[in-house]
DNA sequence: GCGCGGGGTGGGAGCGCTCCTAGACTCGGT
DNA sequence: ACCGAGTCTAGGAGCGCTCCCACCCCGCGC
């Protein structure tokens, strides 16, 4: 180590450079001075070799058809996670896991050079979740899936159900009664919970949920469009729609417009996520806001705790709130 | 190394595990067999320590106000780059560099643990570019900026000018003559080139470019809206708009609709990028397509070459083509 | 004045790998 | 039968760092 040349022994220099404990002020000054002069950069590989930590965390995206990767949800989580990790000197490694081959490669990579994983899994890809869990690698999940809803895992999620309740209640309060919903796939807790919130809100207003007003989409614009079309066929008297995300809400609005319905006069529309899409939609979309950036930050913080040695799994649920715009 | 225990010496095992050269088939079989049995995973830190390569490449996003990070352009590049790198066993590290502090941290991180950088710089952030270049680290840029347009750098860009020419020519051929353009900031070559294409196309049809039909936006929906509003004030007779990206085109459409213009009957609109936004816009937006995923793939390939020892800078320009939808 | 404890330091050991060199072994030519 | 060229292998060296232990020195208590 070059820093030694300017003062003391390697041991002392190392002590100074990685959290000075039991070092004299004199030595500290000498070492830091020398390090600055020599523009010293510690070799992280060497450090990893001996500490067993790589200072690298994977951001796993199980990207399937719906191109989760370009989803604003992903972007927000990534940004938040990056912020939390940066202050701990940990870097984020992008890891896609679309197919089985990629999943294997990911596990290979993960067990060999990552300290932990942040997992965003679009669908409840149990194979991925299971193999991650069984690998024993520290991992924190974004959102519960059927497989990941257990308390033995670490995860961060939003208050999907109460968010949905707030949205549907808002519609009910404005006199809407034939409220349809376009939810997500049944294997995603986010979709299930939002659907459940829809039912709860209706019942609390004495309205029995009409199952013919329910459609299961895939969180894409196109599926929102198709779902809305089917709802219109089955229930032409629909006067509102609550979609489980903004993209589907936008798709639904297109279907409504094509069917000659005026938004919000004939049919009110509410989305979920409060993404940029919602704000720039035509008309601007009322949406349930969830702070994805904060979710990412929390996920990373939990993961750092876990890597730091925490044993008991932690879960965190983030609040949501309704952002009212012109579509409702 | 555990693999030795099942056959030969460390040296031989190492030779087998990292590209078998001068090894007997017998030894190969023995080592691979033993490695499989022991579920051997090489320690990448140790390997890095001796080879001097980390197998890590940074994806640098100079994220400013416009949230480049959630831009579909970024997502595409990231996906393409990931694909190219994965087959070389290289991982992608996400590196944001919004402010000066982050930039410093990034450089620290880069020089110490990354083999190279893929740089997406929203604005022509010369400070970032300069410091990267002077650090001597292998880097490939996405798109030229004023600072990065030089041939001593490595970059990948799209045929911005000819893409713009194609778009504007398409409008001219359909009889439009009062064609406005909303371009990007002057410090981005992408914007400048697209503006230049607009001029060229007009002149080739004998139309002298009217500078009052030019607006400079910031690539956001909102700026598209504002720019269009200003154009309508200055030139109410405008009959077409060419925007330098889809988001601004969408913003422009909103402004046009608010002004009572019908798209495309009164005013035709064309965007750039052919992102999902374009397809799902109302009405569906004609747009100049550029294959961002391929750009990312190429960037990564060039970077690998550079890291592999290639000295002479390479640049690559990708073709664009017009995707005609109902807005024009 | 002697022993003991604690803050501070020096340097050996070793993390797991690849590189390199010396040497062993094989085979064909004379 | 010998030798040289070619092929493959064993194991030492060392990458740059942290950990650990032995040690030194100083001040205090008996």
């Amino acid at each position: 180590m070059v820093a030694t040349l300017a003062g003391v022994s390697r041991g002392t220099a190392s002590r100074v450079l990685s959290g000075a404990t039991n070092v004299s002020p004199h030595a500290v000054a000498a070492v830091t001075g020398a390090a600055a002069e020599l523009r010293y950069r510690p070799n992280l590989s060497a450090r990893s070799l001996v500490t067993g930590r790589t200072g690298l965390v994977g951001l796993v995206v199980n990207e399937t058809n719906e191109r989760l990767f370009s989803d604003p949800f992903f972007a927000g989580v990534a940004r938040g996670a990056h912020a939390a990790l940066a202050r701990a000197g940990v870097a984020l490694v992008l890891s896609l896991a679309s197919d089985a081959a990629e999943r294997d490669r990911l596990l290979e990579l993960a067990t060999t050079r990552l300290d932990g994983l942040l997992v965003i899994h679009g669908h409840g890809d149990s194979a991925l979740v299971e193999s991650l869990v069984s690998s024993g690698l520290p991992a924190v999940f974004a959102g519960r899936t059927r497989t990941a809803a257990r308390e033995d895992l670490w995860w961060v999620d939003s208050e999907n159900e109460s968010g949905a309740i707030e949205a549907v209640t808002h519609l009910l309060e404005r006199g809407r009664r034939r409220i349809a919903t376009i939810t997500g796939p049944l294997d995603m807790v986010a979709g299930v919970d939002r659907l459940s919130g829809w039912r709860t809100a209706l019942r609390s207003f004495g309205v029995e949920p009409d199952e013919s007003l329910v459609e299961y989409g895939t969180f894409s614009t196109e599926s929102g469009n198709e779902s809305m079309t089917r709802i219109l066929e089955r229930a032409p008297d629909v006067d509102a729609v609550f979609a489980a995300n903004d993209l589907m809400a936008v798709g639904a609005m297109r279907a409504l417009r094509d069917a000659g319905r005026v938004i919000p006069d004939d049919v009110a529309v509410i989305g979920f996520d409060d993404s940029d899409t919602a704000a720039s939609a035509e008309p601007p979309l009322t949406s349930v806001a969830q702070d994805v950036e904060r979710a990412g930050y929390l996920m990373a913080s939990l993961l750092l705790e876990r890597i730091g040695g925490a044993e008991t799994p932690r879960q965190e649920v983030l609040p949501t709130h309704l952002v009212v715009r012109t579509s409702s």
Side-chain angles (χ1 to χ4, degrees), chain A:
Chain A
M1 193 192 305
V2 236
T4 18
L5 303 187
V8 293
S9 77
R10 302 193 331 277
T12 308
S14 171
R15 243 168 282 140
V16 171
L17 294 171
S18 45
T21 53
N22 280 4
V23 205
S24 69
H26 176 68
V28 173
V31 173
T32 50
E37 189 179 351
L38 272 60
R39 315 190 105 266
Y40 169 74
R41 296 274 175 272
N43 180 316
L44 285 273
S45 302
R47 183 176 291 176
S48 296
L49 182 56
V50 43
T51 59
R53 293 264 182 85
T54 59
L56 253 32
V57 156
L59 180 60
V60 180
V61 184
N62 152 31
E63 176 180 311
T64 46
N65 331 351
E66 48 265 315
R67 317 188 76 185
L68 179 59
F69 188 44
S70 43
D71 195 304
F73 179 82
F74 167 80
V77 169
R79 195 181 298 111
H82 182 274
L85 294 173
R87 61 171 60 197
V90 174
L92 243 197
V93 174
L94 219 51
S95 321
L96 308 190
S98 320
D99 51 39
E102 275 194 347
R103 183 156 55 234
D104 290 349
R105 214 159 33 204
L106 164 66
L107 277 169
E108 170 92 22
L109 178 114
T111 51
T112 190
R113 62 153 47 141
L114 300 182
D115 289 343
L117 297 172
L118 297 173
V119 187
I120 304 182
H121 47 335
H123 277 286
D125 182 341
S126 6
L128 176 63
V129 176
E130 288 308 330
S131 53
L132 288 182
V133 169
S134 70
S135 79
L137 222 87
V140 176
F141 296 84
R144 300 159 271 186
T145 55
R146 205 168 37 187
T147 26
R150 309 168 327 208
E151 295 201 344
D152 56 337
L153 298 181
W154 296 60
W155 47 257
V156 171
D157 203 354
S158 290
E159 284 191 337
N160 290 306
E161 180 154 10
S162 72
I165 292 177
E166 194 181 354
V168 177
T169 302
H170 164 84
L171 293 169
L172 287 160
E173 283 171 349
R174 305 222 166 173
R176 312 283 174 162
R177 284 299 177 274
R178 294 290 290 161
I179 304 173
T181 189
I182 305 174
T183 186
L186 280 177
D187 59 354
M188 291 188 64
V189 170
V192 174
D193 286 356
R194 290 170 197 176
L195 176 59
S196 154
W198 171 79
R199 288 209 182 87
T200 308
L202 287 174
R203 292 215 177 93
S204 76
F205 267 69
V207 179
E208 190 52 29
D210 178 351
E211 296 300 325
S212 75
L213 290 174
V214 178
E215 270 286 332
Y216 299 88
T218 62
F219 287 125
S220 72
T221 309
E222 202 39 45
S223 89
N225 191 329
E226 293 164 4
S227 295
M228 191 69 238
T229 307
R230 282 193 290 270
I231 291 174
L232 283 170
E233 283 170 13
R234 286 203 301 267
D237 62 334
V238 61
D239 61 7
V241 203
F242 165 58
N245 81 341
D246 288 342
L247 295 179
M248 293 198 292
V250 168
M253 290 205 288
R254 169 119 42 96
L256 287 168
R257 205 178 290 119
D258 289 349
R261 310 299 176 102
V262 177
I263 302 167
D265 305 30
D266 300 335
V267 182
V269 182
I270 296 187
F272 208 111
D273 279 354
D274 191 35
S275 57
D276 290 346
T277 313
S280 62
E282 184 59 38
L285 181 67
T286 295
S287 185
V288 180
Q290 51 178 339
D291 190 342
V292 287
E293 200 156 332
R294 189 163 142 63
Y297 193 94
L298 254 171
M299 285 176 68
S301 306
L302 290 188
L303 184 58
L304 290 174
E305 266 183 43
R306 172 82 180 79
I307 291 172
E311 292 285 343
T312 52
R314 288 189 48 192
Q315 295 88 29
E316 207 75 50
V317 179
L318 294 176
T320 58
H321 69 272
L322 191 68
V323 175
V324 180
R325 297 203 180 79
T326 36
S327 73
S328 70

